[in-house]
Amino acid sequence: MKTQFVLSLVLGALISTSSAHEHGIRKRHRLNDPAKRIYIEKEPIEPQNLYTRANSSSSSSSNSTSTSLPKAPSSEVTTISKPIPKPLDLSISPSNLSGGCLTYLTSLLSSDDLQDCLPLSLLLTTSSAYSSLLSSSIQSGNYTKINNLISYTSSSTRDKCDEYFTSIQSSLSSNKNCGTDLSNKNQVVKDTQIAIGNYQLIKEASELVDEETGVYCYIESMAATRPDDAYLWSLPSGIPLPSTSIPTCSSCSKSLLNTYMSYIPDTSTLNSTIVKSAINRVNDACGQGFVNLSAIAVSGTSAGSISIPPYQAYVLIGGLMSILSLMSI
C-alpha cells in the first residue's frame, strides 16, 4: 500500500497570480474541481521535510511501483481501442470563439489528418476525455490503455505529422481563422496554439523510457505516490513548478528536462524561463550539472508574467489535482 501523507496545494497561487537530449533512456492531465485540496489522513509529514530528495541521480521516480506497470510495447502500436479521446472536447462553441475560428477548429478536429496524427500534446492540455482516461487508470492501477496510446501517438509512422503540425500552427494564426482570437488573448486558442507548437516536443518526451524498468517515464510519473515528477509534464504548457515541489533525481527527470532544453532554441511555444527555473530547482536538489543548462537561451518571456485562466485551470490544473489525489489512495 502506498505511503499516505498530508499534502495541501493552494491552486489559487497557480490560477490567478500574475507573477509565474539527453537520449540515454529515450525510446520509444484533468477533470475535477480545480480548487480541490489533496489530503490523506495517515502519517503527517512536516512541511519542511515533505519534498526532501536524496542527492542521487539513480533514485526512482517518486516511489512509483514500476514493477506493476506495463512496459513500453516492444513493437509500435498501430491501432488503439475506441473510444479514442479527442482534443478540445469541451471548448468549441460560438460563445467563446469568433465565427472564423469556430469554423476552422471544427474543420480541423474532424479532419482525417488530425485524427491520424492524434497529438498527445493537445490531449494532455485540452481533452477532458483523456483526463478521465488517465484518472481512471490511476484509480484502477491499470495503465494499459495509456501505454498503448503513447506508443500509437509517438510511433515512427507519425513522423510525417511534424510538417503537418507546423502548417497548422501557421494557419491557426491567420486572421481569417483564429488570428483575431489570439490577438484578443482567447485562452482556448492560446492553449491550442501552445499544444500544436509543442507537438514534436511532447511526442519525443512521451517516448522516454526508464531503462531500468522498461516503463514509459510519463506513466511512471503519473503512477508515482508523490506528485513532484508529474509536475514536470506541465512545464511545456507554461505552468511553473510549484514552489514547494522538487522532482526526484531520477534518470527520467534528467532525460525529460534535457529533452525540453534541446527544443528551447527552436520552439517559441516553450517558455524557457519556466523550464530553466525547474532545472535550477532540480539541480539544487540533485547536484549542479545533473541537468546541463548550457543549451538554454532564456527568452524574454518571464515566469512572473504567467497566469492560469479558468479554462486551462479546469482541464490542466483541475485534472492534475484529481490525478494527484488518486496517487495517494
Side-chain angles (χ1 to χ4, degrees), residues 101-283:
C101 190
L102 177 63
T103 299
Y104 174 78
L105 289 180
T106 301
S107 175
L108 177 66
L109 292 172
S110 62
S111 70
D112 291 338
D113 286 335
L114 187 76
Q115 293 179 36
D116 184 55
C117 290
L118 188 62
L120 187 62
S121 58
L122 269 172
L123 295 182
L124 293 180
T125 56
T126 71
S127 174
S128 65
Y130 177 78
S131 173
S132 295
L133 172 61
L134 183 55
S135 294
S136 175
S137 297
I138 291 171
Q139 191 168 32
S140 67
N142 184 345
Y143 291 85
T144 300
K145 289 183 178 179
I146 299 291
N147 201 51
N148 291 339
L149 181 63
I150 291 175
S151 177
Y152 178 82
T153 59
S154 64
S155 69
S156 59
T157 59
R158 304 271 163 332
D159 290 346
K160 63 181 181 181
C161 299
D162 295 349
E163 185 175 345
Y164 171 65
F165 280 102
T166 299
S167 68
I168 291 177
Q169 191 173 16
S170 176
S171 61
L172 177 74
S173 59
S174 168
N175 284 336
K176 70 177 182 179
N177 296 324
C178 297
T180 300
D181 302 73
L182 285 169
S183 297
N184 293 334
K185 303 186 185 305
N186 181 289
Q187 195 61 42
V188 171
V189 184
K190 286 173 62 179
D191 292 344
T192 302
Q193 182 186 49
I194 290 172
I196 289 173
N198 290 341
Y199 169 73
Q200 294 182 47
L201 163 64
I202 297 301
K203 181 161 77 76
E204 183 166 329
S206 68
E207 296 172 343
L208 295 172
V209 171
D210 185 329
E211 285 188 342
E212 292 185 6
T213 64
V215 176
Y216 282 123
C217 290
Y218 174 77
I219 289 179
E220 284 194 340
S221 295
M222 296 302 129
T225 58
R226 306 292 274 268
D228 307 77
D229 289 356
Y231 285 126
L232 292 180
W233 292 89
S234 295
L235 297 177
S237 300
I239 299 178
L241 197 65
S243 60
T244 53
S245 178
I246 301 175
T248 62
C249 302
S250 68
S251 56
C252 277
S253 295
K254 181 176 183 178
S255 191
L256 179 61
L257 290 172
N258 274 305
T259 299
Y260 290 167
M261 203 170 60
S262 69
Y263 273 83
I264 283 176
D266 304 312
T267 309
S268 61
T269 47
L270 185 59
N271 188 308
S272 60
T273 301
I274 287 176
V275 174
K276 181 178 180 181
S277 177
I279 290 175
N280 282 332
R281 190 95 58 79
V282 172
N283 279 351

Side-chain angles (χ1 to χ4, degrees), residues 20-68:
H21 223 58
E22 182 175 18
H23 299 284
I25 59 173
R26 176 179 182 273
K27 185 183 181 286
R28 278 257 194 238
H29 338 310
R30 317 182 199 261
L31 203 56
N32 284 2
D33 181 358
K36 180 176 181 180
R37 294 175 185 271
I38 301 168
Y39 64 92
I40 301 297
E41 296 83 4
K42 287 187 185 177
E43 301 178 20
I45 298 177
E46 294 299 322
Q48 65 268 27
N49 297 325
L50 185 56
Y51 296 100
T52 300
R53 295 288 182 231
N55 291 330
S56 167
S57 62
S58 62
S59 58
S60 61
S61 178
S62 281
N63 301 321
S64 73
T65 54
S66 299
T67 55
S68 63

Side-chain angles (χ1 to χ4, degrees), residues 70-82:
K71 296 183 183 299
S74 56
S75 59
E76 294 178 344
V77 173
T78 56
T79 59
I80 49 177
S81 60
K82 297 183 178 180

